[in-house]
Amino acid sequence: DTTVKQNPRYKLARVGKPVNLICSQTMNHDTMYWYQKKPNQAPKLLLFYYDKILNREADTFEKFQSSRPNNSFCSLYIGSAGLEYSAMYLCASSSDWGGSYEQYFGPGTRLTVL
Amino acid sequence: GDSVTQTKGPVTLSEGTSLTVNCSYETKQYPTLFWYVQYPGEGPQLLFKVPKANEKGSNRGFEATYDKGTTSFHLQKASVQESDSAVYYCVLAPSSNTNKVVFGTGTRLQVLP
């Protein structure tokens, strides 16, 4: 099974409220990623876990947090949502370290902040 | 820095016609190049990847050659089908020493019956 699952598929949030998105995979992949995708823009890497080590991109470091309680699950946490967070959030996983490995993507969570 | 530029969509074609989606990249490293495809309601999925310069990748009738000389990786298909309607992403992995890959903005293809 090469499925990456994301919950919820759609999320409505109020400005200033927290948001927690969930991703899971059963492929025993070492690396899990979170991307943000806005219309007419390329998917933007927010952060990734390699095993238990979290790597966050410098320009989004303070905006997003994440946890990986076990190999299968990874969350994306927004402490205080702003209008600019409205986007599609894609989770992906790959079997090992390094960008040359195929990434398996979930269907995404569409977040709308009002 | 590393970057990818691809054909700005949408691209609308009739079934049976040929497709070219242009992709140009910039990097000072030795990249692996990918094409991913995203169907409606799904996440992107790998179409194929090419880890070495001057080699060709192919899958489902699509193909692309990693051309280091022109820094291009154009996607082609001789005869598109309605089921090929999707968004196509050209992706650059700058090296095996980083997990960060660079996506193009995607090209939406609509194939009319």
Side-chain angles (χ1 to χ4, degrees):
Chain A
D1 182 11
T2 58
T3 301
V4 176
K5 296 182 180 178
Q6 292 189 241
N7 287 297
R9 293 292 306 273
Y10 299 90
K11 174 72 176 176
L12 188 63
R14 296 294 180 185
V15 169
K17 297 298 186 182
V19 175
N20 197 44
L21 308 180
I22 303 295
C23 176
S24 65
Q25 51 89 12
T26 56
M27 296 173 280
N28 200 32
H29 281 174
D30 286 331
T31 310
M32 294 186 74
Y33 305 79
W34 281 101
Y35 292 84
Q36 181 189 63
K37 173 72 172 73
K38 292 185 175 182
N40 301 316
Q41 296 183 19
K44 175 183 172 59
L45 179 67
L46 300 176
L47 54 88
F48 67 89
Y49 265 98
Y50 177 67
D51 195 12
K52 292 179 172 56
I53 301 171
L54 174 62
N55 296 266
R56 287 186 284 178
E57 290 294 291
D59 58 345
T60 55
F61 191 88
E62 294 183 351
K63 293 185 175 182
F64 299 94
Q65 185 51 274
S66 183
S67 66
R68 191 177 186 186
N70 56 54
N71 177 269
S72 299
F73 288 86
C74 188
S75 68
L76 182 70
Y77 181 75
I78 301 167
S80 177
L83 296 176
E84 71 276 15
Y85 288 88
S86 292
M88 177 72 81
Y89 289 86
L90 294 167
C91 175
S93 69
S94 66
S95 60
D96 207 332
W97 169 270
S100 60
Y101 288 88
E102 175 181 1
Q103 293 188 29
Y104 295 81
F105 285 84
T109 295
R110 185 172 297 281
L111 173 64
T112 302
V113 181
L114 300 175
Chain B
D2 304 314
S3 67
V4 172
T5 304
Q6 62 180 102
T7 299
K8 184 175 171 60
V11 173
T12 302
L13 297 174
S14 298
E15 254 189 339
T17 59
S18 65
L19 168 73
T20 298
V21 179
N22 289 330
C23 173
S24 298
Y25 66 90
E26 289 188 24
T27 183
K28 294 183 179 179
Q29 302 182 72
Y30 299 92
T32 295
L33 300 176
F34 304 75
W35 278 102
Y36 279 81
V37 57
Q38 184 175 18
Y39 298 102
E42 301 180 11
Q45 58 183 264
L46 180 68
L47 190 54
F48 55 83
K49 73 176 187 181
V50 181
K52 291 184 180 179
N54 302 319
E55 293 191 351
K56 184 194 303 189
S58 63
N59 188 18
R60 305 183 213 170
F62 292 90
E63 62 180 31
T65 299
Y66 178 161
D67 189 330
K68 188 176 179 182
T70 59
T71 62
S72 66
F73 191 54
H74 305 320
L75 181 68
Q76 296 180 311
K77 187 174 186 183
S79 176
V80 295
Q81 306 299 314
E82 190 176 1
S83 57
D84 294 327
S85 297
V87 178
Y88 293 83
Y89 290 99
C90 183
V91 179
L92 167 78
S95 79
S96 59
N97 295 326
T98 175
N99 270 324
K100 185 171 182 177
V101 300
V102 180
F103 278 76
T105 53
T107 302
R108 181 175 299 277
L109 170 66
Q110 182 180 18
V111 180
L112 303 176

